[in-house]
Amino acid sequence: MDNMKAKPSFNSRRDFLKKLGLSSLPILLPGIGSADDYSDNLFKRDNNKLINLVYDGLAYEPKDYIQKLQEINKSSSISADVYGSGGTTQKLEEKLAELTGKEKAIYLPTGTMANQLAIKMLNAENTKVIVPENSHIYRDEADSAQSVHGKRLVPVQNNKAYYTAEELDETIQNIHQNEVFKSGIGTVVIENPVRRANGTAVPLATIQEIAAYCKSNAYKMHLDAARIHYAEAYQGVSLKEYAAPFDTVYISLYKYLNANGGAILCGDAELIDRMHHQIKILGGTMYQSWTNSAMALHYLDGITDRFKKLADTSKEIVKALNQLDEINISSIDNGTNIYELTFNSNIDIGHFVNELDNKHNIWLRPPNEDGQIRLSFNESILLRPADEIVGSIKSVLRA
Ligand SMILES: Cc1ncc(COP(=O)(O)O)c(C=O)c1O
């Protein structure tokens, strides 16, 4: 799953907030300071101007998705694939192969399937795959490695966002010391950024140390790069640099490339060519996937520059909001697009969230049990000037 725990459904966002009691929380300390000059109805509800600080992507509703595809089709016509071959899907595969610096790429219906088939194929006859303990591959893929593919996932248990080469070695030595059968380790997995660690990026130096270790032990490497462009934008490391040490790299088409679903797996041509059969075995060969690939291809175009702008703008917004006494927004070490908002004063958080939604077309997650709100910055913040977004938040805080 995605960062879906608190995901409001688009059709019932209001009900969702109601269920959480956010529409009815009492006002604890209303009226801190005076409201700014921002008109309450500055923005009429308009999904083209929606600022969502909830998702990694733009959160298209069906009608907007269809309209966007029409726009894309007008500017460069979308061509159909047949069982994943040809058309826009092939263009997307070629584009991501190029961006990751790999020989070839293939479309798969889900990232889960991309991860699982990558480790299965890389591992060949080997049975053990070393994985981060807080990764999607280990915690969120329903034990498919064990139950479908006959692979045993061994986590590096370090209780941190990511592991180092030393910690990887400790895990492997531990297997060697405590298990009689000494072979069977084939693949090492890294997730970057780490979803279960609020989007922490794994430092390039750490990846390179792990890669050197894997090379000297002839282990293959797979990268779950579901949201890699956020690491690229916030850490200033190119996708190609991140991808270089890995045999296979998976990128999601729906986290921030705004498709309805889908995944691309990149790697050596020889391995990618063998994937067609594997996908079919699992029933994953789709007749056509252009509705997803056209959207993703569109959002890949110019992404590095746009995401750099998004990263800079989000930092500008955070800096400006941190001038306000009522709130504090903290960043995460080696962070990407996710920040934590804490309220310094006893304000009615439910009312704050609802007012931003109703009057300013800005979506926030509901607060966690400690009253903090996780902010996910995405391209929607480029739809309006940063000072307007700050002004809206400030005016609701002080209303
Ligand atoms: C880090 C990571 N990897 C893999 C996946 C799986 O993607 P899919 O939903 O396409 O199976 C997700 C989805 O939430 C994810 O967050």
Side-chain angles (χ1 to χ4, degrees), residues 1-3 109-113 115 136 141 191 193 195 224 226-227 250 252 254-255 262-263:
M1 289 288 286
D2 185 11
N3 44 0
T110 66
T112 301
M113 195 184 281
N115 276 339
H136 194 278
E141 298 188 0
E191 180 178 308
R195 186 196 52 105
D224 178 338
R227 300 170 179 78
Y250 137 68
S252 173
Y254 73 88
K255 307 293 184 199

Side-chain angles (χ1 to χ4, degrees), residues 102 188-190 207 211 221-224 241-249 266-267:
K102 302 296 174 201
V188 167
V189 173
I190 291 178
I207 295 174
M221 291 183 76
H222 170 67
L223 177 63
D224 178 338
E241 279 176 282
Y242 273 133
F246 295 89
D247 298 281
T248 47
V249 178
C266 310

Side-chain angles (χ1 to χ4, degrees), residues 106-122 136-137 141 144 149 189 222-226 248-253 262-266 271-272 275 278-279 282 284:
I106 186 164
Y107 178 96
L108 293 98
T110 66
T112 301
M113 195 184 281
N115 276 339
Q116 294 296 326
L117 285 181
I119 60 174
K120 173 191 175 179
M121 299 302 277
L122 291 175
H136 194 278
I137 219 166
E141 298 188 0
S144 75
H149 303 297
V189 173
H222 170 67
L223 177 63
D224 178 338
T248 47
V249 178
Y250 137 68
I251 295 173
S252 173
L253 303 187
I264 292 282
L265 183 72
C266 310
L271 183 131
I272 296 298
M275 282 293 169
Q278 295 298 319
I279 297 168
L282 296 177

Side-chain angles (χ1 to χ4, degrees), residues 7-8 17 51 58 86-87 119 126 157 169 171 182 186 279 292 305 316-317 353 379 386:
K7 178 175 179 173
L17 291 176
I51 308 287
L58 290 176
I119 60 174
N126 289 304
Q157 285 173 311
D169 183 49
T171 301
K182 304 274 180 247
I279 297 168
N292 290 334
D305 291 344
E316 199 185 310
I317 291 173
V353 171
E379 287 195 75

Side-chain angles (χ1 to χ4, degrees), residues 150-223:
K151 305 298 175 202
R152 171 181 163 206
L153 301 185
V154 182
V156 179
Q157 285 173 311
N158 63 349
N159 204 19
K160 290 186 210 144
Y162 53 86
Y163 61 78
T164 61
E166 292 76 48
E167 287 161 341
L168 172 64
D169 183 49
E170 272 166 34
T171 301
I172 290 175
Q173 294 317 320
N174 191 30
I175 297 172
H176 290 331
Q177 280 154 24
N178 294 300
E179 300 189 11
V180 174
F181 187 67
K182 304 274 180 247
S183 63
I185 301 172
T187 307
V188 167
V189 173
I190 291 178
E191 180 178 308
N192 188 25
V194 185
R195 186 196 52 105
R196 281 174 175 269
N198 278 344
T200 302
V202 186
L204 186 61
T206 304
I207 295 174
Q208 287 168 341
E209 281 161 26
I210 291 169
Y213 175 87
C214 289
K215 199 165 180 208
S216 66
N217 288 284
Y219 300 141
K220 302 280 189 195
M221 291 183 76
H222 170 67
L223 177 63

